[in-house]
Amino acid sequence: MMKINSTNVTWHNAKVTKTDRQKLNNHKSCVLWLTGLSGAGKSTLAIEVERELYKYGVRSYVLDGDNVRHGLNKDLGFSPDDRKENIRRIGEVAKLFVDSGLVVIASFISPYKADRDLVRSIYPDGDFIEVYVKCLIDICEQRDPKGLYKMARAGKLKDFTGISAPYEEPIEPELVINSANQDINSSVEQVITYLKQHKYIE
Amino acid sequence: MMKINSTNVTWHNAKVTKTDRQKLNNHKSCVLWLTGLSGAGKSTLAIEVERELYKYGVRSYVLDGDNVRHGLNKDLGFSPDDRKENIRRIGEVAKLFVDSGLVVIASFISPYKADRDLVRSIYPDGDFIEVYVKCLIDICEQRDPKGLYKMARAGKLKDFTGISAPYEEPIEPELVINSANQDINSSVEQVITYLKQHKYIE
């Protein structure tokens, strides 16, 4: 923090804080960290939760492959090291967003437990909400929304989670969404209910 | 973007957009990119502008060395390549914040014109506002808020902007703030007036 002279100290004390921003927004900020296989329904859930939060006047933002992989992390591939760095950066960016007062919805496969735990560790208690979007790989592969499973089976995709790279299930996620057993509205409701019960939103 | 089946297309059309978020906030979003020498007054200006915007109910967020160098970019040093990557990532993160509906205040020396121009190039017209916080190096060195000039002169700091590394002045910045010739309130007023005149805020 910059201190030109002692008279500046009061300015710095008066810096706008996370709490100030939450007050202005009339809700708390946090990250909903959606993890799960490709095709489990993370993107759909992210988009629908954001839409529902908007109706509540809650400021939120979705971080996903679309806006991160083509920009901030366009220098990274899909090797374990690059995936680790990918998740590390996203965790740090999401933290900035939480500091700015927003409810962040991070939607990434994030297959390694250690990487997710590392992200969790940089947050104050309660700011990181791990949401396991759970779906059998057979169903994900049947859906194959991007045709990626087909490519992976044909050996055209290296390090594809669930086929040629591991997915490590969360041990104690704050929420488990069984996307194959319920419709999208029920899943959204489950997330919103959690946020209300834990006083993030009203 | 994920498309499970054709019925999902309508969901995706109804994705919350930047425009929706600006509407909820009742102001436009943009990045105020503060560039200038160490000690020129960027941090002070950033903090004071944010405080003033808060009074207007404008959602804003400061990105600076404090919250970026210790987190997202803690793997980077101060060589030309690392500075370039530092600024590239910050530009991408600021773009996400602008997309989320906030007025971002990015406060970084960002000494290379090419790096700043690269950042500018990823934004739609009008979203990137270059603010040159101008101050003679002699005055910056006299202020030396962090004692860095002293260390640089003693040869204890490599690649220090203005001493052992270049600072390339902006050619056509949207705003020039002469921090040595006016008090901080006048500088803040200059920024706020610009935002009002160009209809970012009311």
Side-chain angles (χ1 to χ4, degrees):
Chain A
M1 198 175 298
M2 186 175 172
K3 287 174 189 161
I4 291 176
N5 58 49
S6 62
T7 63
N8 277 335
V9 175
T10 49
W11 295 347
H12 288 258
N13 288 342
K15 208 169 166 174
V16 178
T17 65
K18 180 178 168 188
T19 310
D20 293 327
R21 286 185 279 263
Q22 292 180 340
K23 203 169 161 187
L24 185 62
N25 287 343
N26 207 26
H27 58 78
K28 285 193 187 165
S29 57
C30 61
V31 57
L32 291 160
W33 190 275
L34 276 47
T35 173
L37 293 167
S38 177
K42 297 182 300 302
S43 299
T44 304
L45 183 63
I47 289 165
E48 290 302 303
V49 166
E50 180 172 44
R51 204 148 70 103
E52 190 65 15
L53 288 174
Y54 187 83
K55 291 183 199 162
Y56 282 84
V58 171
R59 270 75 181 174
S60 74
Y61 192 64
V62 173
L63 291 174
D64 59 18
D66 282 347
N67 57 19
V68 170
R69 277 281 186 186
H70 301 297
L72 177 65
N73 291 354
K74 67 179 175 188
D75 54 325
L76 303 174
F78 291 86
S79 70
D81 272 1
D82 277 9
R83 280 182 193 257
K84 187 190 174 89
E85 174 64 5
N86 180 51
I87 296 304
R88 184 193 73 80
R89 288 190 201 165
I90 293 160
E92 294 285 359
V93 170
K95 193 182 176 193
L96 295 173
F97 271 100
V98 173
D99 191 37
S100 85
L102 271 65
V103 172
V104 190
I105 307 162
S107 170
F108 298 92
I109 297 172
S110 46
Y112 300 112
K113 187 178 174 301
D115 296 348
R116 295 190 305 265
D117 287 351
L118 194 69
V119 171
R120 181 189 289 269
S121 73
I122 66 170
Y123 287 83
D125 274 356
D127 279 15
F128 181 86
I129 302 166
E130 192 171 17
V131 182
Y132 179 22
V133 184
K134 193 174 180 174
C135 184
L136 284 173
I137 189 159
D138 294 353
I139 298 175
C140 293
E141 187 164 0
Q142 205 177 313
R143 292 173 174 170
D144 204 8
K146 302 174 187 172
L148 297 176
Y149 284 94
K150 207 176 166 188
M151 285 175 70
R153 291 287 183 201
K156 290 175 189 164
L157 273 185
K158 262 183 65 184
D159 303 319
F160 191 74
T161 301
I163 305 293
S164 47
Y167 179 79
E168 300 171 0
E169 289 196 313
I171 311 290
E172 290 187 294
E174 276 74 7
L175 265 172
V176 179
I177 307 286
N178 285 294
S179 73
N181 303 345
Q182 60 189 24
D183 65 15
I184 180 69
N185 293 334
S186 305
S187 298
V188 171
E189 189 55 33
Q190 213 183 322
V191 175
I192 300 293
T193 300
Y194 182 92
L195 293 176
K196 283 183 184 170
Q197 281 178 344
H198 293 79
K199 314 282 185 198
Y200 292 95
I201 66 172
E202 282 182 9
Chain B
M1 199 175 302
M2 186 176 175
K3 287 176 189 162
I4 292 177
N5 58 48
S6 62
T7 62
N8 277 335
V9 175
T10 49
W11 294 347
H12 289 259
N13 287 343
K15 206 169 167 174
V16 178
T17 65
K18 180 179 167 189
T19 309
D20 294 328
R21 287 185 280 262
Q22 292 180 340
K23 203 170 160 186
L24 185 62
N25 287 343
N26 207 27
H27 58 79
K28 286 194 185 165
S29 56
C30 61
V31 57
L32 290 161
W33 190 275
L34 275 46
T35 173
L37 294 167
S38 177
K42 297 182 300 300
S43 299
T44 304
L45 183 64
I47 288 165
E48 291 301 304
V49 166
E50 180 171 47
R51 206 149 69 102
E52 190 65 16
L53 288 175
Y54 188 82
K55 292 184 198 161
Y56 282 84
V58 171
R59 271 76 181 171
S60 73
Y61 192 63
V62 173
L63 291 174
D64 60 19
D66 282 347
N67 57 18
V68 169
R69 277 279 186 186
H70 302 297
L72 177 66
N73 291 354
K74 67 179 175 190
D75 56 325
L76 303 174
F78 292 86
S79 71
D81 272 2
D82 277 10
R83 280 181 193 258
K84 186 189 172 91
E85 174 64 4
N86 180 52
I87 296 303
R88 184 193 73 81
R89 288 189 203 166
I90 292 160
E92 293 287 359
V93 170
K95 192 181 175 192
L96 295 172
F97 271 99
V98 173
D99 191 38
S100 85
L102 271 64
V103 172
V104 190
I105 307 163
S107 171
F108 299 91
I109 297 173
S110 45
Y112 298 113
K113 187 178 174 302
D115 296 349
R116 295 191 305 264
D117 287 350
L118 194 69
V119 172
R120 180 189 289 269
S121 74
I122 67 170
Y123 287 82
D125 275 354
D127 280 14
F128 180 86
I129 302 166
E130 192 172 17
V131 181
Y132 178 24
V133 184
K134 193 174 180 175
C135 184
L136 284 174
I137 189 159
D138 295 352
I139 297 175
C140 293
E141 187 164 359
Q142 206 178 310
R143 292 174 175 169
D144 205 8
K146 302 176 188 172
L148 297 175
Y149 284 94
K150 206 176 165 187
M151 286 175 70
R153 290 287 182 199
K156 290 176 189 162
L157 272 183
K158 261 182 67 183
D159 303 319
F160 190 75
T161 302
I163 304 293
S164 47
Y167 178 79
E168 300 172 359
E169 290 197 309
I171 310 289
E172 290 188 293
E174 276 74 7
L175 265 173
V176 179
I177 307 286
N178 285 293
S179 73
N181 304 343
Q182 61 188 23
D183 65 14
I184 180 69
N185 293 334
S186 305
S187 298
V188 171
E189 188 55 33
Q190 213 184 322
V191 174
I192 300 293
T193 300
Y194 183 91
L195 293 176
K196 284 183 184 171
Q197 280 178 344
H198 293 79
K199 312 280 184 200
Y200 292 96
I201 65 172
E202 280 180 12

